[in-house]
Amino acid sequence: MTLICSGTMVLGRQLCRPGWVQTSGARIVDCGPGSPPRPADVDLPDAVVVPGFVDIHVHGGGGASYTNDTEIARAAQFHRRHGTTTTLASLLSASVDDLLRSVRSLAQVTRAGIVAGIHLEGPWLSAARCGAHDPTQLRDPSPTEIDALLDAGDGAIRMVTLAPERAGGFEAITRLADAGVVVAVGHTDASYQQTQHAVSLGTTVGTHLFNAMAPLHHREPGPALALLQDPRVTVELIADSVHVHPAVLRAAIDTAGPDRVALVTDATPAAGQGDGAFRLGNLDVDVTSGVARVRGTSTIAGSTATMDQLFATVAGLAADPDAGLVAAATMTSATPARALGLPDVGSLRAGRRADLVVLDRNLAVSAVMAGGEWLGDI
């Protein structure tokens, strides 16, 4: 057993100074506020310990992509070093054959525990709001294609983003939800009413809120307001100060609350690689000053962010630093885990997987534990 004590620790919705957690193998067996019941094996008086981050929307990182079989583990490891101990591998719109190949590969990786499952971001998206998706690969959902992908995933497909206004979109929501898949609305030109109907059919997530969807208008509210208003919906936000203005980010969090906001990176292979030229699916992408855009356009192409950066950004939004830490931990761990129905992660409590992040006083990652194992020295 390992007993870890930290000067500051987030346990559930409680900020503890100090706090402690005891692990045995891959599990947390006990935890609590105050001084530990015995001398700590690992004493971190100047650190902030939070649950391992859960990123439900990420395409790659560290120069590696989730669409390349030889790079999947490297992409997951890159984000793990930044505190993301649970990763959902996101796939861009592609041909049926390419998607089936990627899904089969990622299903194997899911069974091996390298990623927590697959997120299909497309191909059933709006051409008008395609963002960095190849418009030639967008199409209406069909029962045949949905069933083929679900069969190939063998339970590994955990979330699907689609545009409900496409022909067959509402039927697809029902089919996917009945199969136990989390359905998200995104890359959509749906109206306010269409989005409300999508939620009534079983949609429970809004993909990167505000981005790649019809903007809010005082006479046509669009999908963003419908998603924000409904207590059944968890909204993704990319808090990198590029995708969403800080004032809008703050307003969205104030409206939905941390229990309904999942921070996501939407990171691409360019994350951690600096400026330069990259590929995202079939598209050329240029990164300048850390911002990725489709070559020759102003279209943002995913992000270069990592979850530790998003944690620090959101923690700094709160007037009360203590409340900011708890809210940031909720939005980077508990909320995304709950949105996907992942019972073993998202919080430091007895019975959960021993996933945690050690942050220094500047909220930079100094150590990561995943499944009870330290990644590097502590």
Side-chain angles (χ1 to χ4, degrees), residues 217-293:
H217 186 275
H218 59 284
R219 285 190 295 273
E220 174 44 66
L225 188 61
L227 295 166
L228 267 177
Q229 286 180 325
D230 200 303
R232 295 170 291 183
V233 176
T234 299
V235 293
E236 294 181 354
L237 284 168
I238 309 172
D240 63 352
S241 301
V242 174
H243 284 77
V244 181
H245 189 281
V248 177
L249 176 66
R250 187 179 295 109
I253 294 172
D254 288 345
T255 300
D259 287 332
R260 288 185 49 226
V261 172
L263 298 185
V264 298
T265 61
D266 196 11
T268 68
Q273 296 298 100
D275 291 354
F278 299 89
R279 292 281 290 179
L280 182 61
N282 296 328
L283 303 179
D284 291 314
V285 171
D286 292 315
V287 177
T288 304
S289 300
V291 180
R293 300 186 188 275

Side-chain angles (χ1 to χ4, degrees), residues 104-122:
R104 291 188 184 103
S105 295
L106 285 168
Q108 293 180 337
V109 174
T110 300
R111 288 189 286 271
I114 296 172
V115 299
I118 303 165
H119 165 214
L120 294 181
E121 189 184 16

Side-chain angles (χ1 to χ4, degrees), residues 13 21 37 71 105 117 125-126 131 146 152 163-164 182 191 245 250 277 282 312 317 325 340:
R13 298 300 293 266
V21 61
E71 297 176 356
S105 295
L125 309 178
S126 165
I146 290 172
V182 173
S191 68
H245 189 281
R250 187 179 295 109
N282 296 328
L317 291 177
L325 288 174
L340 282 189

Side-chain angles (χ1 to χ4, degrees), residues 89-319:
S90 300
L91 294 176
L92 292 164
S93 301
S95 68
V96 176
D97 289 342
D98 284 346
L99 279 178
L100 287 170
R101 178 190 59 77
S102 292
V103 165
R104 291 188 184 103
S105 295
L106 285 168
Q108 293 180 337
V109 174
T110 300
R111 288 189 286 271
I114 296 172
V115 299
I118 303 165
H119 165 214
L120 294 181
E121 189 184 16
W124 311 308
L125 309 178
S126 165
R129 306 288 175 184
C130 63
H133 288 253
D134 183 347
T136 67
Q137 299 298 335
L138 304 181
R139 51 193 177 270
D140 295 331
S142 71
T144 300
E145 185 174 10
I146 290 172
D147 290 347
L149 288 167
L150 292 178
D151 287 345
D154 191 24
I157 296 176
R158 300 198 70 102
M159 184 164 74
V160 170
T161 296
L162 56 76
E165 73 276 14
R166 291 204 73 122
F170 293 130
E171 293 80 3
I173 292 171
T174 301
R175 196 177 197 90
L176 290 164
D178 286 347
V181 176
V182 173
V183 182
V185 164
H187 287 275
T188 178
D189 212 27
S191 68
Y192 179 80
Q193 293 79 10
Q194 287 173 318
T195 306
Q196 286 183 313
H197 185 51
V199 174
S200 74
L201 294 173
T203 293
T204 57
V205 172
T207 293
H208 45 49
L209 192 71
F210 302 118
N211 296 113
M213 59 179 60
L216 190 148
H217 186 275
H218 59 284
R219 285 190 295 273
E220 174 44 66
L225 188 61
L227 295 166
L228 267 177
Q229 286 180 325
D230 200 303
R232 295 170 291 183
V233 176
T234 299
V235 293
E236 294 181 354
L237 284 168
I238 309 172
D240 63 352
S241 301
V242 174
H243 284 77
V244 181
H245 189 281
V248 177
L249 176 66
R250 187 179 295 109
I253 294 172
D254 288 345
T255 300
D259 287 332
R260 288 185 49 226
V261 172
L263 298 185
V264 298
T265 61
D266 196 11
T268 68
Q273 296 298 100
D275 291 354
F278 299 89
R279 292 281 290 179
L280 182 61
N282 296 328
L283 303 179
D284 291 314
V285 171
D286 292 315
V287 177
T288 304
S289 300
V291 180
R293 300 186 188 275
V294 176
R295 182 167 297 165
T297 76
S298 61
T299 301
I300 299 174
S303 88
T304 60
T306 50
M307 286 291 277
D308 53 336
Q309 295 170 348
L310 306 189
F311 182 99
T313 295
V314 172
L317 291 177

